[in-house]
Amino acid sequence: QAAIALENAILYKEAITDGLTQLFIHRYFQRRLDQELKRARRYGSSLTLTMLDIDHFKNFNDTYGHQVGDQVLKVVAELLSKNVRDVDIVSRYGGEEFTVISPEKTSDDFCVAAERLRKSIEDFPFEVDGKPVRITISLGIAAFPGDAEEKHELIEKADMALYQAKESGRNCFACWDESFLSKR
């Protein structure tokens, strides 16, 4: 029975994590965001959703190849995991896009963490064939309940904030602001 329990635990972990980055997969992210929103509503607390992606990653893959791109994805995933709290949920949203669910955080609270994440990627000594390459990320942040009450709205606003960070020159973060609606 112990062997079966262990095997089931291994299979479950494989079912909810991305094979390349070892982060949670999109489906698990969706489920956890539902759970964390229920918890935040129940206890009257907040949570922050951060969406981020690697700047100019398509060009990077086109230049250096997908295998090198995969190595960058792995390192970025490790750096993200190391630079958030244990209670934060880091997921691969798709492609070069990632999410961080941060319970008990407002977007103002998360600014320090967002800068730490951004800086950890920017400062990492990525190399291709012994030559340094610059990798940066852009981040968009939205919070429950201040910015959005519903899951789809929270995701949409974090995504719009991410778009704003990219429009502002990349390698930065943006917190949701109503003014983003007029820029669409």
Side-chain angles (χ1 to χ4, degrees):
Q1 284 183 330
I4 292 171
L6 182 61
E7 179 67 21
N8 285 342
I10 291 168
L11 290 173
Y12 178 72
K13 184 178 185 302
E14 288 176 357
I16 64 171
T17 55
D18 175 59
L20 178 66
T21 63
Q22 300 306 302
L23 296 178
F24 294 116
I25 61 172
H26 184 92
R27 182 175 52 243
Y28 184 81
F29 156 77
Q30 292 286 344
R31 190 169 1 133
R32 280 303 298 270
L33 185 56
D34 283 333
Q35 293 169 344
E36 294 301 330
L37 283 168
K38 280 182 189 174
R39 183 179 323 198
R41 281 187 191 98
R42 181 176 182 184
Y43 295 108
S45 62
S46 59
L47 74 83
T48 300
L49 174 63
T50 302
M51 297 189 81
L52 59 109
D53 72 10
I54 301 170
D55 295 329
H56 304 294
F57 192 68
K58 183 188 180 321
N59 293 340
F60 184 90
N61 267 343
D62 290 347
T63 303
Y64 299 108
H66 290 277
Q67 288 182 328
V68 176
D70 285 351
Q71 291 304 314
V72 168
L73 288 170
K74 286 180 187 180
V75 172
V76 167
E78 287 176 33
L79 291 169
L80 293 176
S81 295
K82 286 180 184 175
N83 284 284
V84 296
R85 304 171 303 165
D86 289 342
V87 298
D88 294 337
I89 300 122
V90 183
S91 303
R92 184 170 180 196
Y93 196 73
E96 77 279 5
E97 205 166 28
F98 302 89
T99 61
V100 181
I101 302 169
S102 300
E104 305 288 328
K105 289 276 190 186
T106 66
S107 53
D108 288 343
D109 294 337
F110 198 75
C111 286
V112 172
E115 179 59 17
R116 184 175 55 246
L117 290 173
R118 188 201 65 74
K119 192 94 172 102
S120 73
I121 305 301
E122 180 184 53
D123 290 347
F124 189 85
F126 290 98
E127 288 187 357
V128 177
D129 296 329
K131 296 179 182 151
V133 292
R134 187 168 188 247
I135 302 293
T136 60
I137 59 171
S138 297
L139 304 93
I141 304 163
F144 169 87
D147 299 329
E149 291 283 331
E150 301 301 323
K151 179 174 88 170
H152 73 279
E153 185 183 15
L154 186 64
I155 294 170
E156 181 180 22
K157 288 182 174 179
D159 195 44
M160 280 195 264
L162 171 59
Y163 181 77
Q164 182 61 39
K166 290 181 167 296
E167 288 290 306
S168 298
R170 301 178 195 264
N171 192 27
C172 64
F173 66 89
C175 294
W176 166 254
D177 187 275
E178 291 294 324
S179 68
F180 297 168
L181 291 173
S182 64
K183 296 177 185 179
R184 281 189 101 185

